[in-house]
Amino acid sequence: MPQASCSAITRELMATVRREFVHIDWHGAHGSRHWARVRLHGLTIAERTQASARVVELFAFLHDARRRDEWLDPDHGTRSARLVQELGARTLRISTEEEELLAYACQYHSDGRMEADVTVQTCWDADRLDLGRVGIRPDPARLCTGAARQLLCSNPAWFSRNDRSARWQNGTINVRARPVP
């Protein structure tokens, strides 16, 4: 199971995300609890795919940061990619190449794409594995990596539940124990 400490997510970054995330509920379907679960899923997948854990962590907390509507907001990925570019590699403490991967992952995360660098695929799969929060069962055929498909197939009930155990709270990730294959 991935560690619960945050190496890429700083209090300063979370303060920035909080300032950006003003249009919808912080605790809503696309808010902080979703981001914490995407992080957990992403780091679990990254252990198997060798994706950049830093990019995966940052994606989890930035991909929906500029959402303006909880349900219909086709441009939110583009706005989130712009936020990544505005923050820049130095602020995010990643390389220029990782910044480009992160921006790409954010921009296209809700477009249903499948082909990309393994780090981008890991980001997309982490988000797709959390579709259960809005009543959609993740489809293994729409997951990019074998690692994500394996997670889904080994514990399908976990990925279709609406109540989840990972939460961002008081500057840390709180994760209640759950089986991770």
Side-chain angles (χ1 to χ4, degrees):
M1 181 172 185
Q3 294 180 342
S5 65
C6 295
S7 59
I9 309 303
T10 64
R11 288 186 186 278
E12 295 79 18
L13 179 61
M14 285 309 298
T16 298
V17 171
R18 186 71 186 220
R19 283 191 302 274
E20 293 290 331
F21 196 78
V22 296
H23 298 283
I24 59 177
D25 184 5
W26 180 253
H27 299 293
H30 292 93
S32 62
R33 292 178 181 162
H34 165 58
W35 303 340
R37 291 187 303 269
V38 170
R39 178 187 177 271
L40 180 66
H41 300 326
L43 291 179
T44 301
I45 297 165
E47 287 177 358
R48 298 172 187 192
T49 63
Q50 302 304 304
S52 167
R54 293 187 68 75
V55 170
V56 169
E57 276 191 305
L58 290 165
F59 171 84
F61 288 87
L62 294 172
H63 75 283
D64 283 335
R66 285 195 167 167
R67 239 184 198 286
R68 293 184 182 156
D69 184 276
E70 193 70 89
W71 305 110
L72 184 62
D73 189 354
D75 296 325
H76 78 280
T78 300
R79 289 191 301 273
S80 292
R82 256 185 300 213
L83 174 60
V84 168
Q85 293 163 341
E86 289 166 15
L87 291 169
R90 185 175 205 168
T91 299
L92 296 172
R93 296 182 291 145
I94 56 178
S95 70
T96 304
E97 179 185 339
E98 288 173 314
E99 177 189 352
E100 290 171 7
L101 291 171
L102 178 58
Y104 188 87
C106 288
Q107 182 164 356
Y108 298 109
H109 77 273
S110 59
D111 290 0
R113 294 182 183 208
M114 304 276 295
E115 298 297 322
D117 178 272
V118 70
T119 294
V120 173
Q121 289 179 324
T122 298
C123 293
W124 293 344
D125 283 353
D127 189 37
R128 291 171 187 170
L129 283 174
D130 199 40
L131 287 170
R133 78 192 187 285
V134 292
I136 300 170
R137 183 177 295 267
D139 179 357
R142 300 302 306 153
L143 296 173
C144 304
T145 66
R149 287 188 291 278
Q150 184 179 19
L151 282 174
L152 176 62
C153 292
S154 65
N155 197 355
W158 168 257
F159 297 105
S160 62
R161 291 179 17 195
N162 286 327
D163 69 283
R164 302 304 176 108
S165 61
R167 296 190 176 145
W168 178 262
Q169 203 169 44
N170 300 323
T172 60
I173 294 284
N174 295 321
V175 181
R176 287 182 283 199
R178 72 165 178 91
V180 175

